[in-house]
C-alpha cells in the first residue's frame, strides 16, 4: 500500500498542472519575500526561545489585574502562545521557506 501511495505521489508531482500550481504559489524572490519569512516565521520563534518564560510570567501576573474581557483574552493568548517556549518545527518551516524562496 505504501508503494502504491509513493508511485501515485510521484505521478501527481510529474503532472504539468501540479508543477504550474507549485510555481504560482512560490513567493517571488525579493526583499519583501525574504523579510516576510523572517518576520512571520523566524523572529517570533526566536522571541519565544529567548523570552518565552518572562512573557508568560508577565501575562500570568497581569491576568489577575485585568479588568476587561478584552484584556483577559489578550493575556490568555500571550500565555497560550509563549507557555511552551519556541517551536523547532516552526523554526524549521521558516528555514525551509527561506530555502524554497531562493532555490
Amino acid at each position: 500500500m505504501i508503494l502504491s501511495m509513493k508511485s501515485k505521489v510521484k505521478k501527481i508531482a510529474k503532472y504539468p498542472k501540479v508543477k504550474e500550481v507549485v510555481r504560482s504559489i512560490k513567493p517571488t524572490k525579493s526583499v519583501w519575500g525574504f523579510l516576510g519569512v523572517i518576520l512571520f516565521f523566524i523572529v517570533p520563534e526566536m522571541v519565544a526561545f529567548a523570552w518565552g518564560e518572562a512573557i508568560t510570567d508577565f501575562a500570568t501576573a497581569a491576568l489577575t489585574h485585568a479588568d476587561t474581557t478584552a484584556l483577559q483574552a489578550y493575556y490568555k493568548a500571550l500565555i497560550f502562545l509563549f507557555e511552551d517556549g519556541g517551536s523547532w518545527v516552526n523554526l524549521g518551516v521558516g528555514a525551509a521557506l527561506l530555502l524554497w524562496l531562493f532555490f
Side-chain angles (χ1 to χ4, degrees):
M1 176 150 162
I2 293 177
L3 257 39
S4 65
M5 289 280 289
K6 286 183 181 180
S7 65
K8 287 182 182 182
V9 168
K10 286 181 182 178
K11 285 181 184 178
I12 290 172
K14 290 180 181 177
Y15 194 64
K17 290 208 179 221
V18 172
K19 288 181 181 180
E20 182 182 331
V21 168
V22 169
R23 262 187 261 116
S24 71
I25 64 172
K26 184 175 181 179
T28 59
K29 293 180 183 180
S30 68
V31 173
W32 295 114
F34 176 75
L35 288 177
V37 170
I38 295 292
L39 290 177
F40 290 111
F41 285 96
I42 304 214
V43 170
E45 293 306 319
M46 298 309 286
V47 167
F49 278 121
W51 298 291
E53 187 176 331
I55 292 171
T56 303
D57 292 342
F58 166 76
T60 304
L63 186 60
T64 60
H65 302 294
D67 54 352
T68 64
T69 309
L71 275 177
Q72 289 174 351
Y74 173 72
Y75 291 129
K76 286 179 184 177
L78 278 177
I79 292 169
F80 176 74
L81 288 172
F82 292 103
E83 69 185 341
D84 295 330
S87 168
W88 289 103
V89 172
N90 288 345
L91 202 56
V93 168
L97 283 174
L98 277 178
L99 288 174
W100 187 41
L101 180 68
F102 289 106
F103 294 108

